[in-house]
Each structure stands twice: as C-alpha cells, then as structure tokens.
Amino acid sequence: MKGVSLLAGALALLFSGQALSSGDDVCGFSDAECGIAVLPYLEPNNDTRVNLILLQSSRHHLALPLPQPLPDQTRTRVNPFTAYRVMGLTASETSEDDTSADSANQPSPLAAKAKQLNLPPEVQAQMDTLAPEENEGRHISNDTSAVEAFFDVLLADTQLTEPQRIQLAQARINMLSTTTLATMTRDLATLPADGHTGELKQYLINAVAFYQGLFEQANSGFQSLTTANQPWVAETTRYMLIRVSLNQAMENALDEYNMFNVDKADDRT
C-alpha cells in the first residue's frame, strides 16, 4: 500500500505540469518542451520521478497511463509515445494574447524576487536570461523554477538577515552552472553553521553533491537534515533522499548498449 501511495503521489506530481507544445504529432514523449523529457522505460537519464513510477508499477503490477494503440493503428507510423497521449490531453493550437508594450517590459517573477532580495544590480540583470547548463537526468530539477522557489523560501524566512539571504540566493543561482562541491563549500564558509541559515547552507552543499553524483555524501548530508528546524529544508531533504536512493540503484545499471539492465541495478538501496 505504501508503494501504491508513493506511485499515486508521483503521478500527481508528474502530470500536474503544463504541456507546452501545440501539436500532438510534434510533441514526442522524450521532448523537453512537452514537460516530460523522458523515455517510456527505465533509463538513468530519465526524470527521476518517471523512473520511480516505472519501478513502482513493475513491483506492484500497476497499469501505467500509457495508451494502447487502436485497432487501426497497429501499422501506423504515428509516434504512440507522445506527451498528450500519455497524459490524456487533447492537443490544440493555442494563440498568445496580444501584450502591450508596458506588460512586455514587466520583470519576470524571478527578476522581481531577485529585486526583493536586494541582489546586486548586475545579478538582477541576469535573471531573464538565466538558464541551467545541464538539464538531463537528475539535473532536470535544477532549473530556474527551482531557483525561484528557493527565493520564496528565503523571502519567507524571518530568521535570516538580508546579507544571509543575498549570499544564499547567489549560491543557489551558481548551482545552475557547473559549480563544484569545493566551490560551494568555500562560497558559504562565512555563514553560520547552525539555525535556519546553517540548515539552508547545508542543503545547498548536499544538493551540489547530489548533482555531482557524490551520492554517499549527499545521502549522509540529507539524512542529518531530516530533523531540521527550517520547515522547507526538513521536507525537501526527505524527497531528495528518495532521489539519492534511486540514482544509487541505477548508477551502474547500464549494459554495453547503454540501456538499463535490471540485473545490474543495486537493489540494496
């Protein structure tokens, strides 16, 4: 039952996103712009949430939301693995509303929050062009929406000082690039080791360890944060521990054709 609940939660999380393409024929299952940059089988570069769905489905013999071809489609060349078909959506052309010059000049939500945090002007100027250097596999969640969510956490936490918010925000922005664990640790060295500031600091350091594939260190670090007093840190680290375990299990599970081989997966994690 626990596995069923976990699968249901993962499905709700995965399918709650908005589909961004305008035509079924051009929106393939593995197309990033469709909101699900994955393949319909276990593969280390998949979104971790999709691999979780596939693993739970196999273990508990649950049907996946993958449509079966209609009788007259058995010999068709139309791609059955489209985001619209998988998510049960109807593809339709969407037209963008005309926007006035004033609205076009409005700052993005990310830029507006960077201003609220009082980030340096040169950093604020980068917000509308900010983009991750890596967006596949486990890196798929390390995007600008995650940066914006982290900004929300900083703005809502009254225990942080403004200089601490700025330092943590800039460190989170740097995570979009190929920041190393040593660099992140050095950049945050002057922040306190305790309190909400210390817990947010440790979260960022262990998140970098996770994205760099240092799973043992990430697991140990996230375990120590499950009892954090900062509510967002305590909640998010539990989710990250699931992702660490999944990535550990699949780390050495590729065969000679670069395909997932269940016999090589580590079922101890």
Side-chain angles (χ1 to χ4, degrees):
M1 183 59 68
K2 181 179 179 182
V4 175
S5 300
L6 186 60
L7 176 60
L11 283 168
L13 178 63
L14 179 63
F15 295 158
S16 62
Q18 179 182 5
L20 301 178
S21 183
S22 61
D24 188 64
D25 290 338
V26 298
C27 190
F29 194 90
S30 61
D31 293 343
E33 64 269 20
C34 297
I36 315 179
V38 297
L39 293 168
Y41 51 82
L42 288 172
E43 212 278 335
N45 288 328
N46 275 352
D47 184 319
T48 306
R49 294 166 296 180
V50 173
N51 282 333
L52 174 61
I53 291 172
L54 294 170
L55 287 168
Q56 289 296 320
S57 173
S58 175
R59 176 173 294 181
H60 298 286
H61 307 290
L62 300 174
L64 286 170
L66 295 173
Q68 298 300 315
L70 298 175
D72 61 347
Q73 291 182 320
T74 55
R75 298 182 183 277
T76 182
R77 293 188 178 184
V78 175
N79 180 10
F81 298 116
T82 64
Y84 284 108
R85 294 182 182 188
V86 170
M87 298 195 305
L89 301 177
T90 301
S92 61
E93 294 290 337
T94 57
S95 59
E96 296 182 0
D97 295 331
D98 293 333
T99 57
S100 64
D102 289 340
S103 62
N105 292 327
Q106 290 296 318
S108 66
L110 184 62
K113 290 168 185 176
K115 185 175 182 179
Q116 283 182 269
L117 287 165
N118 202 25
L119 296 184
E122 63 273 16
V123 176
Q124 293 186 38
Q126 300 171 2
M127 292 300 100
D128 289 333
T129 57
L130 200 62
E133 291 188 7
E134 179 69 60
N135 62 357
E136 294 183 355
R138 62 180 176 273
H139 298 274
I140 197 167
S141 60
N142 185 25
D143 58 11
T144 53
S145 64
V147 174
E148 185 178 342
F150 191 76
F151 282 6
D152 288 335
V153 173
L154 298 180
L155 289 167
D157 196 323
T158 58
Q159 292 194 23
L160 305 177
T161 66
E162 181 174 293
Q164 290 170 349
R165 289 191 183 94
I166 292 173
Q167 194 169 350
L168 288 165
Q170 290 187 302
R172 184 60 187 87
I173 292 170
N174 292 340
M175 272 179 59
L176 291 179
S177 63
T178 53
T179 299
T180 65
L181 183 61
T183 299
M184 179 62 73
T185 303
R186 183 196 65 212
D187 290 347
L188 298 177
T190 58
L191 288 176
D194 54 3
H196 286 196
T197 305
E199 290 167 348
L200 287 162
K201 164 185 172 178
Q202 288 303 316
Y203 169 80
L204 291 178
I205 290 172
N206 288 294
V208 171
F210 169 76
Y211 288 124
Q212 285 196 309
L214 304 174
F215 300 129
E216 290 294 338
Q217 179 166 343
N219 182 71
S220 176
F222 286 138
Q223 288 285 0
S224 68
L225 290 172
T226 56
T227 57
N229 291 319
Q230 212 291 335
W232 182 87
V233 171
E235 178 182 358
T236 306
T237 51
R238 287 177 170 83
Y239 164 70
M240 292 301 293
L241 283 169
I242 297 173
R243 297 189 66 193
V244 169
S245 294
L246 284 169
N247 278 270
Q248 281 180 310
M250 299 175 65
E251 187 175 13
N252 300 309
L254 292 180
D255 62 18
E256 63 270 28
Y257 303 108
N258 209 36
M259 297 290 288
F260 179 76
N261 185 342
V262 68
D263 295 329
K264 294 184 178 182
D266 185 356
D267 58 7
R268 295 171 298 173
T269 56

